[in-house]
Amino acid sequence: MSTNSTDSTSSTEDKGGTVDRVDRPGRPVRDGPQSRTHRKHLIGQLPAPLRTFLATEAGGATLLLVAAALAVIWANSPWSASYEAIWDADAVIGLGPWMLEMHLGHWVNDGLMVVFFFVIGLEVRQELATGELTDRRRVVVPVLAGIGGMLIPAAFYLALNAGTEAAHGWGIVIGTDTAFLLGALALVGPAVSTQLRIFLLTLTVVDDLVAVSVIGVAYSDDLDLGALVIAAVCLLGLVVLSRCQVWQAWPYVVTVVVLWLATLASGVHPSIAGMAAGLLVPAFLPRRQEVEGAARQFAAFRQSPRPDSGLTVQAGVARSISVNERLQMVLHPWTSYLIVPVFALANAGVDLRGGVLADALGSPVTWGVVAGLVLGKTVGISLGAFAGVRARLGSLPQGVAPGHVVGGAALSGIGFTVALLIVDLAFGDSVIADEARVGVLLAAVLAVAVGALVFRLAARFRGETNASLPMVLSEPVDPERDHIRGPVDAPLTLVEYGDFECPFCAKATGVARELREHYGDELRYVFRHLPLPDLHPHAELAAVAAEAAAHQGRFWEMHDLLFRRQDELEVEDLVGYAADLGLDVEVFMRGVDKEMLRRRVREDVASAEASGARGTPTFFVGERRHLGPHDTASLIAALEASRVPA
């Protein structure tokens, strides 16, 4: 049933916010392994062209490549002795009788890289709590791909090195350098690769977890039981902090530092401590009451801008954002622009003179690494993904084609960071270690070349040019079916897919009201259902209740009431709302139980899926999906851009 009311009654007194485009309720979409906002703090003072380039995945990967190239050049220059000397130099941190002394290279590998793995742990925890990994149905295929992408490479490596001293280096080929992978994807991948990037990030979660576990278990020294007990107590402390909902960051940071020191003394490689600690730092979506509390505190600060009220605002904003995301925001730029490039500088320097390169090219270690990373990753990830799809355990993400999977699998052969770290841990023989390093560097070059070739062939012969969600509304607006506010023939159209239990949708109703006030009869506003029952258990029932009210001609009144009362959506509440609106309650209750109305809601959900809407609120301006903020000013700009020239 269509409801073409021009009723302008506000559904909420709240004004539209300026929250970024949301992929899951309350979670801004990230355009890479971390948001560009996280990255810009360290590069904000650079010249504009360089700043723009570094803010991309390709820019970050290029910085890493430059550091690796510089290491190789330095190690093969007349000053190569200084390369070895600087990383073998002792560096000491001490306070009174407490001293910690390591070679500078160990500070990089056992110290700075712990921060890198800590950030990986934070990202994995966030994905498990609020990201792609919350939907277990989308996880099966990339997890199988990730498992295949470790088992097959290890088998390839061992096929060439079994029974030799070099067999201990099998862990070199199981990991993938996520930063390098995404940078290469930006350079040689499909023109639009959003969904492929998410797929690859999900499978690298498996790589990261297993690779760090392998480092911590298979490549650790003699263990110190006392230090391990202290480390275990620190991990338990992180669990307690999370359970007690401690929102300040400093207790977590202090605990992690003590954990690192204990793990360093225990004989277990500290990378596993970094990853484990990151996994235990809580992540959650912004909570409505805390966001609104921060907004009230800011309003009070505007009225009386005193230092104490300013500090209260800062604390309120911090409380509304998880410790996990705040730590990521601080640490991401340091890991991307300093820690990982310094690691590459310290570990990629192989002196290829004196026949070293020729020996490496004839070594089964070198070719075992190349075969494992380039062939093994391509075959293992592809087989794992296609086997999962064939067995109907899951499906590829929408927009991701078989050629995209094979190309992404080839790019996953860029092991680099984790691979070089394991080389340093696995081999005491410097000759074997250098041969393995040559293999890692050669594999990175070949993996990019193979990936680029696969993507080009897939585009040319299979038409697989993009790997992203649809951008066009699958079902055009139908005045006979859709719920419309404003004239049905208005020149401007705004379609929202919403969820009655989503707090950000409630905020968006204020934006919709302001847009109607701004445009008047020039705008028709369309609401379609996208309940997310995994996150909002009452949303589907509320959507059906709105359709039951629509059958009595009161959709918009129920729509507004549900958003005003979205914390009270039990069956008895809905019956009370029907009575408040003067509906025939008996007819309303029969409607709530009717399968026809549920099918109507499911049709909206299917159209959202086919249109690329994955979270709420999602807006379409005309028939194009709106990307970016959904505040009033941004949507006005998008609507103006959609006008057909006279």
Side-chain angles (χ1 to χ4, degrees), residues 424-437:
D424 186 65
L425 297 171
F427 301 127
D429 187 325
S430 62
V431 173
I432 298 178
D434 284 346
E435 291 170 350
R437 290 190 183 97

Side-chain angles (χ1 to χ4, degrees), residues 536-548:
H536 301 139
H538 304 96
E540 190 169 3
L541 181 61
V544 174
E547 290 302 320

Side-chain angles (χ1 to χ4, degrees), residues 226-499:
L228 283 175
V229 170
I230 296 174
V233 170
C234 290
L235 292 174
L236 180 61
L238 291 172
V239 173
V240 171
L241 289 172
S242 176
R243 291 290 178 87
C244 294
Q245 298 184 354
V246 175
W247 61 270
Q248 296 95 334
W250 70 264
Y252 295 91
V253 173
V254 170
T255 306
V256 171
V257 170
V258 176
L259 172 64
W260 170 66
L261 292 171
T263 311
L264 199 62
S266 72
V268 174
H269 194 275
S271 60
I272 195 169
M275 172 71 87
L279 288 170
L280 294 176
V281 176
F284 53 80
L285 296 171
R287 292 188 277 255
R288 182 183 182 188
Q289 62 271 24
E290 291 172 354
V291 172
E292 292 180 348
R296 288 192 297 270
Q297 290 163 355
F298 180 74
F301 175 72
R302 289 187 64 183
Q303 294 176 348
S304 178
R306 297 176 356 193
D308 57 339
S309 59
L311 292 174
T312 301
V313 171
Q314 288 182 335
V317 171
R319 188 187 292 269
S320 67
I321 302 170
S322 70
V323 177
N324 187 298
E325 286 206 279
R326 282 184 276 133
L327 287 174
Q328 283 193 62
M329 187 175 69
V330 172
L331 295 176
H332 261 307
W334 291 100
T335 57
S336 298
Y337 300 119
L338 179 64
I339 291 175
V340 173
V342 167
F343 171 83
L345 186 64
N347 288 271
V350 182
D351 191 341
L352 302 174
R353 297 170 296 181
V356 171
L357 180 58
D359 291 343
L361 293 178
S363 167
V365 176
T366 301
W367 292 110
V369 171
V370 172
L373 286 173
V374 180
L375 296 178
K377 286 288 186 182
T378 304
V379 173
I381 290 174
S382 300
L383 283 180
F386 297 147
V389 173
R390 186 67 180 267
R392 298 185 178 180
L393 299 175
S395 60
L396 295 177
Q398 189 175 9
V400 175
H404 297 145
V405 174
V406 178
L411 293 183
S412 299
I414 307 174
F416 208 78
T417 305
V418 175
L420 289 176
L421 181 59
I422 295 179
V423 167
D424 186 65
L425 297 171
F427 301 127
D429 187 325
S430 62
V431 173
I432 298 178
D434 284 346
E435 291 170 350
R437 290 190 183 97
V438 171
V440 172
L441 298 176
L442 182 58
V445 175
L446 292 176
V448 174
V450 173
L453 177 62
V454 171
F455 285 129
R456 180 166 294 186
L457 293 175
R460 181 173 180 179
F461 295 107
R462 297 177 59 89
E464 298 172 0
T465 55
N466 291 326
S468 189
L469 293 171
M471 292 294 298
V472 179
L473 199 63
S474 67
E475 297 292 333
V477 175
D478 181 359
E480 296 300 318
R481 178 189 184 280
D482 280 307
H483 304 294
I484 301 173
R485 260 179 168 158
V488 296
D489 58 351
L492 299 176
T493 299
L494 182 69
V495 179
E496 177 188 354
Y497 283 95
D499 175 314

Side-chain angles (χ1 to χ4, degrees), residues 20 32-33 59 157 161 166 255 378 483 512 529 572 610-611 645:
D20 289 343
Y157 178 86
N161 293 280
T255 306
T378 304
H483 304 294
H529 302 288
E572 57 270 23
S611 305

Side-chain angles (χ1 to χ4, degrees), residues 24-25 137 499 501 530-541 601 605 616:
R24 306 186 76 82
R137 294 166 298 182
D499 175 314
E501 205 171 354
L530 182 52
L532 303 173
D534 290 343
L535 294 171
H536 301 139
H538 304 96
E540 190 169 3
L541 181 61
V601 173
V605 173
T616 55

